[in-house]
């Protein structure tokens, strides 16, 4: 299978505009993410899909690969689908542009889902992490996911799922980590479909796949990277980078 990684990169992020071009210990956040993804050695191609000339030039001028996309996409999946429409690929991995601490092990597990799926039943694979903090569990910004006994997603919600009706039953609550691996065919089908009712209600794009009967395999991860959504997150990322790579 040919595997490519695409990093969707909007410049005008609502919570932290221009965050991908902020400095992270000598290089921009988006360039750090691109280089980290490339260095995993897992992909036949890595590219950035962006609506920004600044981001495009940042990647290309540093020897990377980027494509310009329209700036009116509703979801990251739409931006990725446009970028890979003419690419020769079987599996497409979505790597978030604001997560420079890309974890090779997690990406490898997502790829292995498709290598083991001999019948071609799985359309997507994604990650989830168990939450234990009550405030995190109740926070609607954290999308929760529940699965069947085989690890296939049953539903995603901003509400607490499953609801703890019986306190004696200890059921873990999982946060959906927004790194996706798609079969290219499923991704392009998504791109050509209208938003679905549950997707519109929850504002969670992967519900569109479920509403169309697609199978999503969820993989548990213990790795929690730093996503940069605020200036405080950026400072945490700078501190972590210095610890990991500069010995500070």
């Amino acid at each position: 299978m040919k595997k490519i990684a695409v990093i969707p990169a909007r410049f005008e992020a609502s919570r932290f505009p221009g965050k991908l071009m902020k400095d992270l210990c000598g290089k921009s956040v988006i360039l750090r993410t691109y280089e980290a993804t490339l260095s995993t050695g897992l992909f036949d191609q890595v590219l950035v899909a962006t609506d920004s000339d600044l981001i495009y030039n940042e990647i290309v001028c540093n020897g990377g690969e980027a494509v310009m996309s329209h700036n009116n996409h509703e979801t990251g999946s739409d931006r990725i689908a446009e970028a890979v429409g003419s690419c020769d690929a079987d599996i497409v991995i979505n790597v978030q542009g604001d997560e420079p601490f890309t974890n090779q092990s997690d990406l490898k597990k997502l790829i292995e889902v498709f290598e083991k799926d001999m019948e071609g039943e799985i359309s997507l694979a994604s990650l989830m992490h168990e939450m234990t903090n009550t405030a995190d569990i109740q926070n609607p910004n954290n999308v929760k996911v529940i699965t069947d006994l085989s690890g296939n997603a049953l539903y995603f919600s901003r509400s607490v799922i499953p609801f703890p009706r019986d306190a004696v039953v200890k059921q873990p609550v999982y946060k959906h980590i927004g790194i996706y691996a798609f079969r290219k065919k499923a991704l392009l089908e998504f791109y050509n479909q209208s938003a679905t009712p549950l997707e519109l209600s929850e504002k969670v794009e992967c519900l569109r796949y479920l509403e169309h009967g697609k199978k999503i395999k969820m993989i548990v991860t213990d790795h929690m990277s730093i996503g940069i959504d605020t200036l405080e997150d950026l400072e945490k990322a700078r501190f972590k980078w210095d610890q990991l790579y500069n010995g500070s």
Side-chain angles (χ1 to χ4, degrees):
M1 297 187 299
K2 185 171 183 180
K3 304 171 289 292
I4 65 174
V6 182
I7 306 169
R10 287 181 65 245
F11 183 80
E12 293 297 338
S14 57
R15 282 185 285 178
F16 191 4
K19 65 181 180 179
L20 297 184
M21 289 298 294
K22 299 297 184 183
D23 177 75
L24 178 55
C25 301
K27 294 183 180 181
S28 65
V29 171
I30 187 62
L31 185 58
R32 290 290 192 196
T33 302
Y34 178 86
E35 291 179 344
T37 306
L38 195 66
S39 69
T40 65
L42 296 172
F43 304 105
D44 299 288
Q45 183 181 13
V46 178
L47 60 91
V48 172
T50 183
D51 58 0
S52 165
D53 290 331
L54 277 174
I55 292 175
Y56 177 88
N57 291 330
E58 172 76 355
I59 298 301
V60 172
C61 291
N62 283 282
E65 187 173 356
V67 294
M68 289 293 295
S69 64
H70 300 300
N71 59 9
N72 59 349
H73 289 306
E74 293 295 325
T75 71
S77 292
D78 290 322
R79 192 177 303 281
I80 293 170
E82 181 195 352
V84 303
S86 59
C87 292
D88 177 20
D90 300 295
I91 305 301
V92 180
I93 309 288
N94 165 16
V95 177
Q96 299 296 321
D98 61 359
E99 296 200 4
F101 301 97
T102 299
N103 184 269
Q104 183 187 42
S105 175
D106 284 342
L107 295 177
K108 186 175 181 180
K109 289 175 183 175
L110 292 178
I111 292 170
E112 288 174 348
V113 167
F114 298 99
E115 292 175 341
K116 296 175 181 177
D117 181 29
M118 305 307 294
E119 303 300 322
E121 296 179 345
I122 297 171
S123 297
L124 284 79
S126 194
L127 300 171
M128 61 184 186
H129 178 82
E130 184 176 352
M131 293 189 292
T132 56
N133 181 276
T134 300
D136 289 339
I137 291 172
Q138 295 177 345
N139 186 345
N141 291 320
N142 293 327
V143 175
K144 275 68 74 173
V145 58
I146 51 176
T147 69
D148 64 18
L149 297 177
S150 297
N152 299 309
L154 291 171
Y155 193 65
F156 299 84
S157 182
R158 297 184 182 278
S159 299
V160 179
I161 52 173
F163 182 80
R165 177 64 179 83
D166 188 339
V168 175
V169 179
K170 300 300 182 183
Q171 180 67 32
V173 178
Y174 288 102
K175 176 184 177 180
H176 178 219
I177 308 299
I179 298 176
Y180 300 92
F182 312 86
R183 289 195 188 276
K184 182 184 174 184
K185 180 177 181 292
L187 177 62
L188 295 183
E189 287 175 353
F190 175 97
Y191 187 44
N192 290 305
Q193 293 164 342
S194 299
T196 50
L198 292 174
E199 175 192 3
L200 290 171
S201 177
E202 296 263 15
K203 294 295 185 288
V204 176
E205 67 185 76
C206 47
L207 285 172
R208 190 187 309 180
Y209 293 97
L210 291 184
E211 288 183 85
H212 283 286
K214 303 296 186 185
K215 185 177 286 189
I216 305 176
K217 175 71 76 174
M218 301 302 301
I219 303 297
V220 176
T221 177
D222 293 326
H223 177 260
M224 287 296 290
S225 64
I226 297 176
I228 300 173
D229 288 318
T230 65
L231 182 58
E232 182 182 6
D233 292 335
L234 180 59
E235 292 303 325
K236 290 179 181 178
R238 287 169 174 164
F239 179 77
K240 182 174 181 177
W241 193 276
D242 277 337
Q243 283 188 314
L244 290 175
Y245 303 109
N246 299 329
S248 300

